[in-house]
Amino acid sequence: SGVVCLLRPLLLDVVPSIRQTTALALGRLADYDVDLAEAVVKAGILPQLICALPEENRYYKRTAAFVLRAIAKHSPQLAQAIVQCGALEMLVICLEDFDPGVKEGASWAFGYIARHNPELSQAVVDAGAVPLLVLCIQEPEIALKRIAASTLSDISKHSPELAQTVVDAGAIAHLAQMIPNPDAKLKRQVLSALSQIAKHSVDLAELVVEAEIFPVVLTCLKDSDEYVKKNGATLIREIAKHTPELSQLIVNSGGVAAVIDCIGSCRGTVRLPGIMTLGYVAAHSENLSMAVIVSKGIPPLCVCLIEEHEDHIKAAAAWALGQIGRHTAEHARHVAVANVLPTLLDIYVDTRSSEDLKMKATLKNILQKCTYLPALEPLLHEAPPNIMKHIIGQFSKVLPHDSKARRLFVTTGGLKKVQEIKAEPGSLLQEYINTINNCYPEEIVR
C-alpha cells in the first residue's frame, strides 16, 4: 500500500510526538521481516531518521535506535547499509547521553551490527563505541548493564584483535566483578562476554583468569538458570582448552568436581560445554586425566551416552571418554571397568548414528591402551572387523604374559571366537591371531 513512503515525510514533521510515533511505526515494520527492513532502507529513510538526532528528545533517540537495531538484525547487508549512512557516529552520541534508555537503545543497535561479521564489528570499534560500552556496564541500571555486556560479547567473538580491543578498554575487571550479581540475565551476558574473550588465545585466557574469576565462577554451575549454567561451563571450557597449566588451575580450584556435578544435574545442550571441558582437561596430560577419573568423571559421561538423544552430545561424551582413556593402560582400565565399551560399540554399529558420532565412538583411543581383558572379551562376539583388529591386538599383547588370563580366555569362549575370524594371510590381524594361538598347545587350538 506504499505505507513506507507515506511515513517518510512524517519523520520531518514539526510536532515531536509525530516524528517519534512515525519512527516507532517504521521500527516495528522493519523488525517484522527482512523484506520490510529492505523497503525501509530503499525508501531512503535512514538519512532522514538520523539527520537531526543530536537535537532530538530522548524518546525520539530511543525510537531511532530501535529502528536501526530492527534493520541491522536481519543480515550483514542491512547492517552495512546502516554503517554507510553514518549512523554509527550518531549512535556513539546516544551512548554518551545522560538518559539510560537512550544508552540502552544505542548499545543494542551496536550489538546487532557487530554480531554479523568481523568487518562490521571493526566498524563499531572504529566508531569509538568500546570505551563507552565499558562505561555502560558500570552504570547502576541492570538493563543497561545486560545490553552493554551482550554487545561487548558480540564484538569480542570474531577475532583475537577485536577481543583485545575490548580488553584494552578495561572490560575484563568490570565483567568479572559482576559474576556474583543475583540477576540471571546479566550473569548470562557477563559469562558469555568473558568466554568470547578467553577463547581466542592463551594470553587472553590468562588475562581472564587473572581477574580472579575462580572460584566464584563455579557457583554459576549450580545456578537455577540453565543458561547461566551453560555459559559458566562454556567459560571454564574456553580456559581449559588452551594449556595444561590453565587446566591444572581449574582442577586446583575444584573446577572439575563442579563441572561433573553440573553434568549430572542437567540435560541436553546445557551439558555440552561441561562434557567438552572434561575432555580438554583430560587430553592435556596423564595427571590431569587421572584428576578427572578420581573426581568420578567417567560415570556421568557414560550416562550422557545412554540418556542423550542428540548425536553431537553423544559424540562429545564419546570423545571425552577417549581423551580420558588414551594415556596409559591404567587410564583405559578405568574407562573399561565403567562398562562403557559395549555402549560405545552399540552406538558405532547403529545405522542411525551420524558419521561424526561413529568416528568418536570407534573406541580406538581406549582400545589401543586397554589391557583389561574382562571388559574387552564381550566385544569379541559383536565387534565389526575394523574394531575387532584393535581388540585382538590387545589380547595378543596380554595373553603371552598372563597365565590366568589365558585360562579365562579359553573357558569364556574367547579362543574359540578367535578361530572363527577370517583374516587375510600375512595381515596384521593374522599376526595377532598367530601370537594368541602360540600361547596354547596345538590340541587346545584345534
Side-chain angles (χ1 to χ4, degrees):
S1 302
V3 163
V4 174
C5 293
L6 290 169
L7 286 169
R8 185 179 160 184
L10 296 180
L11 277 174
L12 302 175
D13 198 275
V14 291
V15 181
S17 62
I18 291 179
R19 294 200 296 276
Q20 189 199 326
T21 315
T22 304
L24 186 61
L26 286 164
R28 287 179 176 163
L29 288 167
D31 198 42
Y32 180 71
D33 75 6
V34 67
D35 295 335
L36 279 164
E38 281 172 356
V40 171
V41 173
K42 281 178 186 153
I45 279 169
L46 289 175
Q48 279 187 345
L49 181 78
I50 62 171
C51 67
L53 199 60
E55 287 81 55
E56 290 285 358
N57 66 28
R58 59 186 173 163
Y59 303 109
Y60 182 87
K61 284 177 182 167
R62 284 184 199 176
T63 314
F66 166 59
V67 179
L68 296 172
R69 169 183 120 211
I71 294 169
K73 79 172 188 181
H74 294 292
S75 73
Q77 292 74 25
L78 285 167
Q80 187 62 45
I82 287 172
V83 174
Q84 281 165 343
C85 77
L88 297 189
E89 290 74 16
M90 294 302 172
L91 285 169
V92 166
I93 291 168
C94 290
L95 268 187
E96 295 175 305
D97 200 275
F98 70 93
D99 181 79
V102 174
K103 288 181 182 168
E104 196 184 316
S107 297
W108 216 328
F110 275 128
Y112 275 111
I113 294 164
R115 68 177 50 173
H116 289 295
N117 60 42
E119 291 73 32
L120 287 162
S121 196
Q122 188 63 52
V124 170
V125 170
D126 294 343
V130 172
L132 295 169
L133 289 164
V134 173
L135 287 174
C136 286
I137 58 174
Q138 299 168 62
E139 294 281 350
E141 289 80 17
I142 215 87
L144 179 55
K145 284 178 184 285
R146 285 179 196 156
I147 306 302
S150 169
T151 302
L152 289 170
S153 177
D154 284 326
I155 292 168
S156 304
K157 72 182 181 184
H158 299 290
S159 71
E161 292 75 24
L162 286 161
Q164 190 66 51
T165 310
V166 172
V167 172
D168 292 343
I172 290 179
H174 298 295
L175 289 166
Q177 282 165 5
M178 290 189 283
I179 294 173
N181 194 292
D183 182 77
K185 287 181 181 171
L186 175 59
K187 270 200 280 205
R188 291 178 193 175
Q189 303 303 347
V190 164
L191 293 165
S192 168
L194 290 168
S195 303
Q196 299 293 7
I197 293 168
K199 75 178 184 183
H200 294 291
S201 70
V202 179
D203 292 343
L204 288 167
E206 284 175 348
L207 288 172
V208 171
V209 169
E210 281 164 19
E212 297 182 0
I213 61 163
F214 290 103
V216 65
V217 72
L218 304 181
T219 58
C220 299
L221 302 181
K222 292 189 169 71
D223 203 274
S224 56
D225 184 278
E226 296 283 84
Y227 289 100
V228 171
K229 270 188 184 177
K230 186 179 180 183
N231 291 2
T234 303
L235 173 54
I236 296 168
R237 177 191 76 194
E238 298 300 3
I239 292 166
K241 73 181 185 186
H242 290 294
T243 63
E245 291 75 22
L246 285 168
S247 277
Q248 188 65 55
L249 186 140
I250 290 166
V251 171
N252 295 351
S253 64
V256 167
V259 167
I260 291 164
D261 288 346
C262 178
I263 294 170
S265 69
C266 53
R267 296 279 179 280
T269 52
V270 183
R271 276 176 161 170
L272 191 56
I275 293 169
M276 300 287 286
T277 301
L278 296 185
Y280 281 129
V281 171
H284 284 304
S285 72
E286 289 179 20
N287 289 347
L288 286 165
S289 180
M290 197 48 82
V292 174
I293 292 168
V294 171
S295 302
K296 300 188 169 50
I298 294 173
L301 291 172
C302 301
V303 170
C304 293
L305 283 176
I306 297 161
E307 276 185 359
E308 292 298 337
H309 303 297
E310 299 275 339
D311 270 16
H312 66 283
I313 303 174
K314 286 186 173 188
W319 170 80
L321 286 163
Q323 299 308 317
I324 294 168
R326 74 185 177 87
H327 295 285
T328 67
E330 180 64 12
H331 290 80
R333 192 179 76 82
H334 281 288
V335 177
V337 169
N339 201 28
V340 71
L341 302 184
T343 308
L344 285 168
L345 188 60
D346 290 344
I347 290 169
Y348 182 77
V349 297
D350 189 338
T351 51
R352 293 164 302 179
S353 295
S354 67
E355 283 310 305
D356 180 53
L357 176 52
K358 285 188 173 186
M359 200 172 83
K360 301 285 195 299
T362 53
L363 314 168
K364 196 169 157 191
N365 270 348
I366 302 165
L367 290 176
Q368 284 174 342
K369 289 285 187 290
C370 186
T371 55
Y372 182 65
L373 302 190
L376 293 178
E377 206 155 303
L379 307 184
L380 273 176
H381 302 280
E382 47 192 293
N386 59 332
I387 288 183
M388 183 71 80
K389 182 174 74 182
H390 296 299
I391 297 169
I392 299 289
Q394 291 310 95
F395 277 104
S396 73
K397 280 184 204 166
V398 178
L399 291 174
H401 314 291
D402 188 334
S403 57
K404 189 179 167 195
R406 287 201 292 275
R407 276 201 303 281
L408 275 171
F409 196 56
V410 177
T411 54
T412 54
L415 187 63
K416 182 173 185 289
K417 177 65 189 170
V418 167
Q419 308 315 311
E420 293 166 12
I421 295 168
K422 303 279 186 284
E424 291 277 319
S427 66
L428 191 60
L429 180 56
Q430 187 61 59
E431 275 184 43
Y432 291 153
I433 293 170
N434 292 345
T435 304
I436 292 170
N437 288 345
N438 289 340
C439 298
Y440 296 95
E442 197 184 324
E443 63 271 18
I444 291 184
V445 174
R446 274 211 304 280

